[in-house]
Amino acid sequence: MRRSVFNEDHEAFRQTLREFIEAEVVPHYDQWFMDGQVPRALYKQLADLGLFGIEVPEEYGGAGIDSFKFAAIQTEETMRAGVSFGAAGAHIALGLPYLLDLGTEEQKQRWLPDFVSGDTMYALAMTEPGTGSDLAGMSTTARLSEDGTHYLLNGAKTFITGGVLADRVIVCARTSPPKPDDRRFGITLLAVDTTLPGYSVGRKLDKLGLRTSDTAELAFTDVRVPVGDRLGEEDRGFYYLGKNLPKERLSIAYGAYAQAAAAIRFTKQYVQDRKVFGQPVASFQNTKFELAACQAEVDAAQAVADRALEALDAGELTAAEAASAKLFCTEVAHRVIDRCLQLHGGYGFINEYPIARLYADNRVNRIYGGTSEVMKMIIAKDMGL
């Protein structure tokens, strides 16, 4: 399908990234899959490639390119190869926006150079046991000390992408009780150094999919977080989260579309090579019709994802548009990947084949970043319903 979202610079970046993936990731990926996470050394390689600094201003060691399109290409290329960079996506998509938008000049000078170099990896900790998508219901607290120099952080988080290897985690905590007419008031963002006493990583969660992305439970017991590590104003954290959620949801939409496109690529190759009743599976009319229908759906998802990407770069992506893109692209990916697995027959159920891993990885897209049901609520509200 013809596209206008990427230019020559983007395509040159794509080619460099594709060569890196083929040489440095694909040969080792089966072992990383078995290990349940990528090695920390990969993050340094990605940093050396320039991936972490694309959107970071030049004065802090980055390239200063205000565009999410390079991150979108990274998503497309990893999905195309059937691999993952682990929690590197969370480092960029979930950590960086808060540092850029909320960080003081002192914080940016202190944190961004190590962000770009991969010496400090970031994660975002929102979800808590028992709250799920109800972020306003979080119970983790951060109490300001009497001398005003630090917060005492107590509580727990779960489903934290990159939580095992993270060096600094942006933790959402309640610093004031909610107002009677505003449950969202009272949440503050703290960039917590994971080496502080009282900070602990619990289980590395054994997930159905995304096996190479470390996901953890975190616990905080009287962690003394310096006031200088607070991001933005106190009690306004929910507002900041809401501002950045459209970008997060677009990244999920883009990943889902790219997974669906990769599923077709893997399945096309498989049905051309696999023979049944003496002829290639691709020669049967049902195979052709199934893949043609899948391709039509992916074409539509690509158009939706590209439109949202352009809106994001233009600063015009609304919460409802991001929710619509996430809902549509994740539902398309669910249908397409399921149909592609069916065409693999029994081999589609074996992790040796990329389609099996895609099937497992894809399922969470309709859950994290806000469930499909939450996306429908946002869209319906925008419709005036």
Side-chain angles (χ1 to χ4, degrees), residues 249-250 252-254 256-257 297 301 304 319-335 362 365-380 383:
R249 287 165 179 163
L250 169 63
I252 296 170
Y254 228 90
Y257 136 70
E297 288 215 76
V304 168
E321 289 170 338
S324 179
K326 181 181 185 295
L327 178 64
F328 182 76
C329 291
T330 56
E331 292 292 339
V332 164
H334 163 65
R335 293 192 295 270
N362 166 74
N365 290 332
R366 291 178 287 152
I367 298 174
Y368 68 179
T371 64
S372 292
E373 291 73 24
V374 170
M375 298 304 101
K376 292 174 183 177
M377 290 171 60
I378 295 170
I379 297 166
M383 296 169 65

Side-chain angles (χ1 to χ4, degrees), residues 103-178:
T104 64
E105 181 59 30
E106 183 275 334
Q107 287 172 333
K108 290 177 181 178
Q109 290 182 3
R110 181 157 52 102
W111 292 335
L112 286 176
D114 284 346
F115 180 100
V116 172
S117 68
D119 289 315
T120 301
M121 296 298 295
Y122 282 76
L124 176 64
M126 294 189 290
T127 306
E128 295 184 2
T131 61
S133 296
D134 181 20
L135 297 180
M138 69 177 62
S139 58
T140 295
T141 61
R143 180 171 55 85
L144 188 63
S145 63
E146 292 185 3
D147 62 6
T149 61
H150 64 271
Y151 292 92
L152 273 181
L153 178 66
N154 286 278
K157 299 289 182 178
T158 191
F159 305 140
I160 308 308
T161 302
V164 175
L165 297 179
D167 302 293
R168 194 173 284 272
V169 177
I170 300 171
V171 178
C172 310
R174 186 163 287 286
T175 45
S176 297

Side-chain angles (χ1 to χ4, degrees), residues 55 68 71 88-98 115 244 247-248 251:
E55 297 180 62
F68 196 65
H91 177 68
I92 299 170
L94 302 185
L96 184 58
Y98 296 97
F115 180 100
N244 283 297
K247 184 175 184 178
E248 178 185 347
S251 69

Side-chain angles (χ1 to χ4, degrees), residues 58 69 81 121 134 138 145 167 183 203 291 364 382:
E58 293 182 21
K69 292 181 179 179
M121 296 298 295
D134 181 20
M138 69 177 62
S145 63
D167 302 293
R183 294 177 64 241
R203 293 185 302 154
L291 283 178
V364 76
D382 185 67

Side-chain angles (χ1 to χ4, degrees), residues 204-224:
K204 185 180 79 169
L205 299 175
D206 185 16
K207 307 187 301 294
L208 169 68
L210 301 179
R211 304 286 297 184
T212 59
S213 177
D214 57 294
T215 304
E217 295 175 330
L218 306 178
F220 321 111
T221 304
D222 290 335
V223 181
R224 295 169 61 92

Side-chain angles (χ1 to χ4, degrees), residues 25-41:
V25 179
V26 172
H28 312 291
Y29 195 72
D30 286 345
Q31 184 60 53
W32 298 349
F33 183 85
M34 296 296 294
D35 293 342
Q37 67 184 46
V38 301
R40 181 61 186 256

Side-chain angles (χ1 to χ4, degrees), residues 2 8 24 91 100 116 176 216 238 247 259 285 288 299 312 314 347 351 355 363 365:
R2 288 174 293 178
E8 291 182 359
E24 303 295 338
H91 177 68
L100 293 179
V116 172
S176 297
F238 200 101
K247 184 175 184 178
Q259 286 176 325
Q285 186 182 67
K288 296 176 182 179
D299 285 347
L312 177 68
Y347 290 106
N351 276 328
I355 192 66
R363 185 58 185 89
N365 290 332

Side-chain angles (χ1 to χ4, degrees), residues 15 36 49 59 94 131 165 168 194 199 275 312 317-318 340:
Q15 186 58 40
L49 201 61
E59 58 264 37
L94 302 185
T131 61
L165 297 179
R168 194 173 284 272
T194 62
Y199 181 103
K275 290 188 176 181
L312 177 68
L317 183 66
T318 68
C340 286

